[in-house]
């Protein structure tokens, strides 16, 4: 006795999966659609904030350096 193999049924999109795919594709399109976040500075606003905090507020360079420290 051999078991007859059934061919897999064609996969259908569930309504929630289809809605999620539409939302995801729409969000991706809006994100990649020529937004000029950095205004020519090559940084996203969040990245610019972090860079300013690190480079301006946290690093203090005194010149000439105090060799006694």
């Amino acid at each position: 006795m051999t078991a007859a193999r059934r061919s897999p049924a064609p996969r259908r999109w569930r309504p929630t999966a289809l809605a999620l795919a539409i939302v995801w594709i729409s969000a991706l399109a809006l994100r990649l659609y020529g937004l000029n976040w950095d205004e020519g500075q090559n940084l996203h606003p969040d990245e610019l904030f972090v860079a300013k905090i690190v480079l301006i507020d946290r690093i203090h360079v005194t010149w000439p350096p105090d060799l006694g420290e």
Side-chain angles (χ1 to χ4, degrees):
M1 246 164 69
T2 61
R5 289 188 160 194
R6 294 184 191 178
S7 62
R11 190 166 196 183
R12 293 187 185 181
W13 284 89
R14 294 182 185 158
T16 53
L18 183 61
L20 183 63
I22 290 171
V23 168
W24 187 83
I25 290 171
S26 300
L28 181 65
L30 289 173
R31 177 67 178 114
L32 298 178
Y33 177 74
L35 295 177
N36 191 13
W37 289 110
D38 60 353
E39 297 175 355
Q41 297 179 11
N42 297 326
L43 291 174
H44 185 273
D46 295 335
E47 295 166 348
L48 182 61
F49 173 76
V50 171
K52 284 182 179 178
I53 293 297
V54 170
L55 296 175
I56 295 171
D57 295 340
R58 301 278 192 254
I59 300 173
H60 300 285
V61 177
T62 57
W63 191 258
D66 185 14
L67 297 177
E69 288 183 2

